[in-house]
Structures are given as structure tokens and as C-alpha cells.
Amino acid sequence: MPFLQTISIDAAEASAHADALTQLREDAFQAVVIRNVLTPAECASIVTDLAANRQGFPTTSFPAPFRSHFYGMNLNLAEPDLRAYFDMAPGFTRSLGELMAPWGGFETRILALLSRLDGGRPYGPPALHDGRTYMATTLRSHHEGGYIPPHFDNEQKNRPSYRHLESVVEGDIFSFVLTLSKAERGGMLEVFDAKAEAWSGRFQNRDRAREKPDLARFARHAFDVEAGTIVLLRSGRFLHQVTPVEGARLRWTACSFMARSRTGDAVHCWG
């Protein structure tokens, strides 16, 4: 039996799979592929806008070796006081609304779709006690040579920038990647048969002399999906990476981390 049990759903048939994401969190399977979330023409128009930054998104960067940048800010890279993150959030949310307005809105096309796959449980960004709201996602551009190294998303909970978020979510982190344009070659989400409970300590992003395990020892599964497709993964539990982009075409994606609220009646999403 494959180590990564995956189901594939067409977005138009979401109502027939109302418990898919509940089953994902319960480990009945570990990944969900949702096809035809956006059409190729919609993705092409969105990417044209993103390439020119027509909506004026605030921009941040991955560390330089990763040859990639964000529209919005990754919470992993935010300062612990989150001041810059929440200062940026209103502008990002406004730009995301403008970008997606011609295509029905991010909340309707993406978050409401996830809700339909989770028994109607609402999906959206959490808020601080003063009403300031997290960014629901980030938009990511990976240039030629751009990649993300192997990691487990559950490690995020140890970061100082997660202090508040950890108080409002529970359980494993899971995530989605919505492909808006795929690379000419490479740039694939690759998942390894290595679980956090056994291997997390050996892959943490720390500067230390001890070498990380050789990835060749693990079975792997690569998702090579077309634009308009979402891949949902139990990314907190399974080691995963983005392989280096090859060719001049940028790999554009929308990515969100997610976890169930401590009240159990919602799922919180953040960039």
C-alpha cells in the first residue's frame, strides 16, 4: 500500500465529498487533490496581474538562496511581535480582494470550497483580540532555481511568531497549494515517507554540524499538477519539499497553512 493515500476530486463535485477534509485530519488519507478549482484562462489572467503586481501587493522575500518571493508575509519569517505582519495584512487583504474579484473572490472560490469539503465548517483567517486579522494566504513566486527545502510544518508551532496562533488552534497543521502557473520543469511538491514523530528533530532548520538524513532512503511521491489545481496535504506530519524550478517560467502558487480551531467549529487559515 502506498505510504501516501490520496484522493482526487473535481471541484464541481465537492458536495458529494462533504467529509473529505474531516477524513484527512483523521488520517483516513493524507492528501487531497482538487481539480478544476480555477480554469486555465482564469489562472493565466491572474498570473498576468501578479507578474505586473497590478493590485499593488506588499512584497517580502524568502531567504536569498531560495530564489523566491511572497506577496504578503509568511508567518514563519515574521518578527515575534508581529507588528510588521499585521501592519501589512490590511493592504494584502485588499489587494487579494481586487485580484480575485473578477473570478468570484478568494473566499468564495477557495475558502468556501474547502468548507464544503469539511461539512460546512467555516474556513478563514483568525483574528487577534483587538480585531486585527491574519493574512489568509500568501502568493508565492519561485524563480529559476527556486526551491523550498525538506521540512515538517508542525515545526512552525515552536516559532515565537506563533505564540498567539498556538492559543487558538489545535492538532496537526495541514496546508493547501493552489497552482496558478507551473514551472517548465521541476517546481513540484514532493512528499517523503518520513513522519514528524520519528524525524522532525533531524530536519529542523537550525545551523548545526550534524548532517540531515539522506533523502534517498525515503520513498517519495511528487505532485505534478496543472494550473487551477489544489493539493491539500497533512504537511505538519509528512516531510515535504518543493523541488528546484527549471526554466524561465515562474512558478506561481497560493499557499495557506491551516489547523482546526480549539473550539472545533472552524478551521483557521494563515499565510
Side-chain angles (χ1 to χ4, degrees):
M1 181 179 294
F3 75 90
L4 196 75
Q5 297 293 309
T6 303
I7 65 167
S8 183
I9 298 169
D10 191 279
E13 300 170 352
S15 59
H17 301 272
D19 64 347
L21 298 191
T22 305
Q23 291 189 66
L24 178 79
R25 287 196 306 277
E26 293 175 349
D27 206 31
F29 38 80
Q30 295 79 44
V32 179
V33 176
I34 313 174
R35 307 180 309 274
N36 300 314
V37 176
L38 297 171
T39 69
E42 289 171 333
C43 289
S45 181
I46 289 168
V47 167
T48 297
D49 278 0
L50 293 175
N53 198 8
R54 289 178 178 163
Q55 286 74 30
F57 281 98
T59 303
T60 55
S61 294
F62 282 88
F66 300 161
R67 297 185 56 77
S68 309
H69 71 271
F70 299 97
Y71 287 159
M73 185 182 294
N74 188 317
L75 192 62
N76 298 339
L77 303 177
E79 292 296 326
D81 65 10
L82 297 183
R83 184 175 303 169
Y85 180 94
F86 284 109
D87 284 349
M88 182 180 289
F92 173 82
T93 301
R94 185 166 50 251
S95 295
L96 181 63
E98 293 172 1
L99 174 74
M100 291 299 297
W103 320 115
F106 185 80
E107 292 78 9
T108 299
R109 292 296 296 274
I110 310 303
L111 299 185
L113 171 63
L114 302 183
S115 178
R116 291 197 296 276
L117 292 167
D118 202 359
R121 187 176 282 108
Y123 277 62
L128 297 179
H129 298 301
D130 60 11
R132 288 180 293 168
T133 302
Y134 285 79
M135 301 179 219
T137 193
T138 55
L139 300 164
R140 304 182 177 194
S141 173
H142 294 271
H143 303 251
E144 187 168 14
Y147 72 102
I148 299 176
H151 63 286
F152 298 93
D153 285 344
N154 276 352
E155 294 173 3
Q156 298 173 10
K157 296 180 179 181
N158 299 323
R159 298 179 186 272
S161 56
Y162 274 71
R163 287 191 193 112
H164 169 261
L165 197 58
E166 179 65 4
S167 73
V168 298
V169 300
E170 63 181 9
D172 288 335
I173 291 174
F174 62 113
S175 62
F176 77 73
V177 179
L178 166 60
T179 297
L180 298 170
S181 67
K182 60 186 295 187
E184 294 171 22
R185 298 175 303 282
M188 290 184 289
L189 174 63
E190 196 168 55
V191 186
F192 298 91
D193 187 11
K195 296 179 182 177
E197 53 265 34
W199 293 100
S200 180
R202 298 289 301 277
F203 282 95
Q204 287 181 357
N205 295 323
R206 298 174 179 170
D207 294 327
R208 56 185 178 182
R210 190 169 73 167
E211 292 184 1
K212 294 179 173 62
D214 183 359
L215 294 176
R217 69 187 296 173
F218 303 112
R220 66 186 69 193
H221 179 96
F223 290 94
D224 186 13
V225 300
E226 298 303 315
T229 303
I230 282 178
V231 176
L232 288 121
L233 175 68
R234 292 200 67 190
S235 54
R237 188 178 182 210
F238 281 87
L239 185 70
H240 60 286
Q241 67 176 2
V242 174
T243 63
V245 167
E246 300 177 34
R249 185 191 306 145
L250 302 186
R251 174 188 186 262
W252 281 101
T253 59
C255 304
S256 295
F257 304 108
M258 299 171 286
R260 186 176 56 192
S261 68
R262 287 187 177 267
T263 58
D265 58 354
V267 172
H268 292 318
C269 313
W270 64 92

